[in-house]
Amino acid sequence: NAGVTQTPKFRVLKTGQSMTLLCAQDMNHEYMYWYRQDPGMGLRLIHYSVGEGTTAKGEVPDGYNVSRLKKQNFLLGLESAAPSQTSVYFCASSPSGGAFETQYFGPGTRLLVL
Amino acid sequence: GDSVTQMEGPVTLSEEACLTINCTYTATGYPSLFWYVQYPGEGLQLLLKATKADDKGSNKGFEATYRKETTSFHLEKGSVQVSDSAVYFCALIPNAGKSTFGDGTTLTVKP
């Protein structure tokens, strides 16, 4: 099992450019999440999905869009990147979203917006 | 709203020293509490968890007890090793869409 994988590992964008971050999991998990990690601010939930074809907003959704067309994949899009979106992005998944469940994290994508 | 307050770092200890990283929370209801660890260059991984009051989570020599009366979930280890150097996150997850993570505490253990 590869677990949760993220593509790319690192990316540099110019302000206004767009990009898509890909998350894939091979554990047949229903729930998937996108977080951003910023110094001094912990992890903040951007969007999440409770199953194939569904998405929902988290704590900081503005400037991002997501799609879950296949159960194993969760895409995070930035339509017009801004320097404030410079961050490390983590994808995670969990079996069925219960509050007691472990979330399994990917290795992260480091994004720099100039 | 829900919140997690974690001991500020960084924390630097010598090998075999005792470790305590404080975590207190504010929440409605009865959330599950977690400690995640992030090693350099990696994603977060679960260290331990507790799902109800007075539960003790333990793993790899680390322990934390869910104290409802003091709304705390402090992480402890009796003897740290160099390999324990990492960033530790306390988290409160009342349900799938409302996770709250602390800011993280960086631990460095010197030989």
Side-chain angles (χ1 to χ4, degrees):
Chain A
N1 277 358
V4 179
T5 58
Q6 292 183 233
T7 309
K9 288 186 169 50
F10 177 70
R11 184 76 183 268
V12 179
L13 288 180
K14 294 181 180 179
T15 297
Q17 287 185 317
S18 63
M19 78 164 294
T20 300
L21 282 66
L22 171 63
C23 175
Q25 53 96 2
D26 62 0
M27 297 174 283
N28 202 34
H29 286 174
E30 291 293 333
Y31 279 61
M32 296 186 75
Y33 317 83
W34 275 108
Y35 293 91
R36 59 177 291 173
Q37 182 183 29
D38 301 293
M41 302 188 78
L43 270 73
R44 292 180 293 167
L45 184 63
I46 305 171
H47 285 281
Y48 66 101
S49 168
V50 305
E52 182 178 311
T54 74
T55 64
K57 294 180 180 179
E59 181 186 354
V60 288
D62 293 342
Y64 304 95
N65 56 74
V66 288
S67 65
R68 182 104 181 264
L69 298 180
K70 293 183 178 180
K71 186 176 183 178
Q72 63 267 35
N73 296 338
F74 195 30
L75 278 62
L76 178 72
L78 286 72
E79 288 188 350
S80 179
S84 61
Q85 294 178 303
T86 293
S87 186
V88 180
Y89 292 85
F90 287 102
C91 177
S93 70
S94 65
S96 57
F100 53 87
E101 285 184 349
T102 301
Q103 293 188 17
Y104 296 83
F105 285 81
T109 294
R110 190 173 297 272
L111 176 65
L112 175 62
V113 182
L114 302 175
Chain B
D2 296 343
S3 67
V4 171
T5 302
Q6 219 177 301
M7 174 175 149
E8 283 191 27
V11 175
T12 302
L13 296 173
S14 297
E15 207 164 23
E16 299 184 4
C18 294
L19 169 71
T20 298
I21 300 178
N22 291 335
C23 172
T24 57
Y25 68 91
T26 303
T28 54
Y30 303 95
S32 295
L33 299 173
F34 300 76
W35 277 102
Y36 281 86
V37 59
Q38 182 181 31
Y39 298 104
E42 298 182 11
L44 281 71
Q45 56 186 273
L46 178 71
L47 181 59
L48 53 84
K49 64 181 179 183
T51 58
K52 61 182 188 295
D54 299 325
D55 265 3
K56 178 187 283 188
S58 62
N59 186 26
K60 299 181 181 179
F62 290 89
E63 292 183 341
T65 301
Y66 190 157
R67 303 280 189 204
K68 195 169 187 302
E69 64 276 13
T70 54
T71 60
S72 65
F73 193 54
H74 304 322
L75 183 67
E76 299 176 328
K77 187 174 186 181
S79 177
V80 294
Q81 306 299 312
V82 172
S83 58
D84 294 327
S85 298
V87 183
Y88 293 82
F89 291 90
C90 185
L92 176 163
I93 303 182
N95 60 60
K98 288 191 175 292
S99 55
T100 302
F101 283 78
D103 293 346
T105 300
T106 299
L107 170 66
T108 301
V109 181
K110 296 189 173 181

